[in-house]
């Protein structure tokens, strides 16, 4: 059980960060399909900067900066240039896969080996039976736990969050009441990229300690299912990420105990649940109204 | 997002300023230009790399056969994305539809070999594959049409479900026990589409891709039904006035996309791989999105662009051994043009919107 919980955290954190990043963009009215590319690009960056025994801190900081900048680039393309959000996100992800793979080939795998440091064991809490492993993790995992209430608070209880949600639900109305919709959405995309960067950095700095081609392996796309399953709320996203991480963690668990049961079916379960839930709830699970539309405001 | 709102603003416009055929050519050219700085960055010989790129596909019959072999699944799954795109919908589910189509065809081909033991036996498998893909597409279509759920998200989720289910079966009850790796049994020889030419390199299944490509493009651009679908994408309110039922249209178009995706998998099975393993598709479903987007709703352009993508895959694969440059640059060469074209078109549409307001 401890093994399973620990595996869930390691597997779930990239999903959580990516889905939280996607959530911020979607609440602002932009469908960020570039999450997969953001995860890859920031994992690549963190490994490149922190590689060969250089500072892990520098790796993290540069990854966040690059994530924010790439988020801003996606924002510029979708919000200012009004390029199609779906097209831009998918093409961006494919380009990131190609570019990171290409640069990895040029530099060679030794350049991307990172020192394994940063595990923090919280006294007392880590000794709780069953749930203890939640508190015996890389410190980035604690950032992940903390981000859930922080993002909830920012979205639901601050002026910035209100303006963001207004831009996502009714851009024309938001503009009429003085919200600079373009600026708000650009900020949302930058934040989206920066939060997603934590997921990319987590994969490298906390989990595998190296960069590997296509290491995100579709997690940026799984994040979209998580956002729906979580009904566009941070807490829901946390539970959704946990559900997917549980299904994937069973794999590790079964291997360690050499159990055999149909893992593929269990791994498919969260997707089936998300689809069925969406089908049953129908129009009551409603995404932000402006999501996916180009920004066309009257002057 | 509301059905009318999103559908109305995406997809092909009815009155393009720049002719529709110019955009794919722009994309192809920019893709070829991108190769130079990438090769230079990696320290390779730029001129030689262009030579290798063309030599690989057009220097020998064998190379040309490989080009066509790569083209077949890309063209068909590209159509699977292009058809729903006419109605303003994004079918990201090509990958799942393809693998389900291939697997369903493999099961029928292996288990009921009597059914395919005649000269046109492969046709049975193509129909089976298309039906399986259509079933997957119908799920996304029904959820989109009657529950208003974003088809991008449902098709992505269905991809994962389909891949995991097929993996479950080919690692378990449908595994070929004679193999050291997990894959299905081979379909019988009689149910295959042959390859001809030197070293048996040229696949006759390319005919399936060309015939289906022309038929679908004709339907989309020259028939009443195709016109109604594009009307649904470009002007939903007007379409409703003309008697198009939006929900039914959205459902059918995603179902058709799924059928084409399933057909892509079944054609690849009978024409090339003959069995379904874990690595059956190297990511054709996402390539297909790029192909359809470069075609910009012009269905006639899908097959040529797919051949171009196959040309890039084939040629860049050879760069590693000759120029010493990793073939992964193909991802950049296929994705960046899509970004460039999307940005140019987005900006053009926005300016037109501003001017329209006077």
């Amino acid at each position: 059980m401890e093994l399973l919980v620990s595996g869930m955290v390691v597997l779930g954190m990239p999903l959580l960060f990516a889905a939280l990043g996607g959530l911020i963009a979607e609440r602002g009215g932009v469908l960020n399909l570039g999450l997969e590319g953001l995860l890859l690009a920031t994992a690549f960056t963190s490994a490149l900067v922190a590689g060969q025994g250089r500072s892990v801190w520098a790796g993290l900081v540069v990854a966040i900066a690059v994530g924010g900048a790439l988020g801003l680039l996606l924002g510029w393309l979708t919000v200012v240039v009004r390029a199609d959000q779906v097209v831009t996100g998918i093409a961006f992800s494919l380009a990131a896969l190609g570019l990171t793979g290409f640069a990895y080939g040029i530099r060679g795998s030794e350049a991307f080996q990172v020192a394994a440091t940063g595990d923090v064991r919280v006294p007392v809490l880590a000794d709780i039976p069953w749930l203890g492993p939640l508190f015996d993790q890389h410190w980035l995992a604690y950032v992940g736990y903390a981000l859930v209430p922080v993002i909830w608070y920012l979205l639901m209880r601050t002026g910035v969050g209100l303006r963001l949600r207004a831009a996502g639900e009714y851009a024309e109305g938001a503009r009429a009441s003085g919200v600079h919709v373009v600026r708000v959405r650009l900020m949302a995309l930058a934040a989206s990229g920066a939060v997603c960067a934590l997921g990319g950095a987590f994969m490298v700095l906390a989990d595998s300690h190296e960069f590997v081609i296509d290491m995100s392996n579709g997690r940026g796309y799984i994040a979209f299912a998580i956002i729906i399953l979580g009904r566009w709320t941070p807490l829901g996203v946390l539970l959704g990420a946990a559900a997917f991480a549980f299904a994937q963690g069973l794999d590790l668990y079964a291997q360690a105990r050499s159990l055999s049961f149909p893992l593929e079916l269990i791994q498919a379960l969260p997707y089936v649940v998300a689809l069925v839930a969406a089908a049953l709830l129908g129009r009551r699970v409603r995404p932000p109204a402006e999501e996916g539309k180009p920004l066309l405001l009257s002057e | 997002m509301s059905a009318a709102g999103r559908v109305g603003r995406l997809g092909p416009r009815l009155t393009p300023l720049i002719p529709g055929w110019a955009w794919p050519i722009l994309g192809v050219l920019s893709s070829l230009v991108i190769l130079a700085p990438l090769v230079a960055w990696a320290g390779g010989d730029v001129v030689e790399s262009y030579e290798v790129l063309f030599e690989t596909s057009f220097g020998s019959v064998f190379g040309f056969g490989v080009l066509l072999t790569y083209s077949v699944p890309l063209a068909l799954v590209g159509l699977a994305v292009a058809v729903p795109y006419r109605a303003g919908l994004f079918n990201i589910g090509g990958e799942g539809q393809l693998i389900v189509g291939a697997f369903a065809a493999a099961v029928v081909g292996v288990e009921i070999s009597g059914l395919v033991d005649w000269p046109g036996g492969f046709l049975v498998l193509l129909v089976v594959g298309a039906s399986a893909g259509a079933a997957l597409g119908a799920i996304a279509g029904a959820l989109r049409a009657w529950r208003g759920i974003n088809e991008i998200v449902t098709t992505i989720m269905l991809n994962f479900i389909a891949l995991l289910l097929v993996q479950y079966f080919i690692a378990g009850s449908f595994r070929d026990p004679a193999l050291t790796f997990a894959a299905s049994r081979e379909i019988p020889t009689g149910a295959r589409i042959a390859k001809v030419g030197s070293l048996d390199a040229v696949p006759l299944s390319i005919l399936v891709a060309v015939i289906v490509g022309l038929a679908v493009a004709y339907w989309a651009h020259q028939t009443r039904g195709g016109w109604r679908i594009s009307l649904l994408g470009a002007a939903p309110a007007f379409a409703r006035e003309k008697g198009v039922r939006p929900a039914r249209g959205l459902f059918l178009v995603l179902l058709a996309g799924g059928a084409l995706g399933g057909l892509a998998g079944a054609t690849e099975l009978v024409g090339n791989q003959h069995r379904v393993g874990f690595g059956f598709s190297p990511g054709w479903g996402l390539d297909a999105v790029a192909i359809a987007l470069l075609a910009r709703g012009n269905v006639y352009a899908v097959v040529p662009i797919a051949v171009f993508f196959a040309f890039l895959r084939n040629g860049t694969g050879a760069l590693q051994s000759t120029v010493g440059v990793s073939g992964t640059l193909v991802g950049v060469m296929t994705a960046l043009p899509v970004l460039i074209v999307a940005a140019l078109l987005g900006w053009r549409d926005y300016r037109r919107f501003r001017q329209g307001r006077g």
Side-chain angles (χ1 to χ4, degrees), chain A residues 31 33 74 76-77 80-92 94-99 101-103 105-106 213 217-219 221-222 224-225 228 244 262-265 267-272 274-275 278-283 285-299, chain B residues 1-3 5-6 9-11 37-39 41-43 85 90 92 139 143-150 152-154 156-158 160-161 163-165 167-168 171 278 286-287 289-290 293 296 325-332 334-336 338-339 342-350 353-354 357:
Chain A
L31 189 63
L33 270 169
L74 279 169
W76 178 74
L77 283 169
V80 178
V81 178
R82 270 87 169 171
D84 189 289
Q85 295 173 13
V86 178
V87 178
T88 307
I90 289 176
F92 173 85
L94 290 174
L97 176 61
L99 267 179
F102 189 60
I106 293 175
I213 291 178
N217 196 18
R219 279 184 264 203
Y221 296 117
I222 298 179
F224 290 98
I228 294 195
F244 276 90
L263 290 169
E264 290 91 352
L265 298 188
Q267 284 176 9
L269 201 60
Y271 300 102
V272 178
L275 268 185
L280 290 180
L281 293 168
R283 294 178 197 279
V285 282
R286 197 182 57 82
E290 297 272 357
E291 183 182 297
K293 294 185 203 168
L295 182 60
L296 301 174
L297 297 176
S298 56
E299 288 306 304
Chain B
M1 64 190 68
S2 71
R6 213 192 89 219
R9 285 170 179 171
L10 291 176
L38 286 174
V39 170
W41 179 28
Y85 189 65
F90 287 93
I92 316 293
I139 298 175
L143 288 173
R144 177 69 179 82
W146 292 292
R147 309 300 285 180
I149 301 164
N150 187 329
I152 298 163
V153 178
T154 52
I156 287 177
M157 283 195 268
L158 286 167
F160 286 105
I161 295 173
L163 281 171
L164 287 164
L165 279 183
Q167 283 181 7
Y168 169 70
F278 270 32
L286 279 180
D287 269 355
V289 179
L293 296 175
R296 297 301 309 181
V325 173
S326 161
T328 48
L329 52 73
V330 68
V332 190
T334 51
L336 279 186
V338 179
L339 269 186
L344 289 173
L345 279 165
W347 187 240
R348 183 201 68 176
D349 288 349
Y350 178 57
F353 167 82
R354 293 280 295 269
R357 290 183 173 268

Side-chain angles (χ1 to χ4, degrees), chain A residues 132-263:
Chain A
L134 288 175
F135 303 100
D136 188 8
Q137 295 291 338
H138 192 273
W139 61 267
L140 269 173
Y142 305 111
V143 176
Y145 302 148
L147 265 182
V148 174
V150 166
I151 289 178
W152 175 83
Y153 182 81
L154 287 174
L155 278 177
M156 307 308 293
R157 290 288 182 273
T158 66
V160 174
L162 182 63
R163 285 196 284 277
L164 179 76
R165 285 182 292 129
E169 291 292 349
Y170 185 32
E172 190 80 50
R175 196 196 64 90
S177 50
V179 176
H180 196 308
V181 176
V182 169
R183 196 182 300 157
V184 166
R185 285 193 178 177
L186 282 176
M187 276 167 46
L189 262 299
S192 175
V195 171
C196 196
L198 291 167
F202 185 92
M203 288 194 291
V204 167
L205 304 180
D207 183 11
S208 61
H209 308 296
E210 61 175 341
F211 176 80
V212 185
I213 291 178
D214 198 15
M215 70 186 298
S216 53
N217 196 18
R219 279 184 264 203
Y221 296 117
I222 298 179
F224 290 98
I226 291 175
I227 294 170
I228 294 195
L229 204 55
R231 303 179 70 171
W232 290 270
T233 66
L235 184 63
V237 159
L238 175 69
L239 296 177
F244 276 90
F246 176 75
Q248 295 183 343
L250 276 179
D251 194 13
L252 294 180
Y253 181 72
Q255 278 172 16
R257 295 282 166 91
S258 23
L259 299 176
S260 68
F261 46 83
L263 290 169

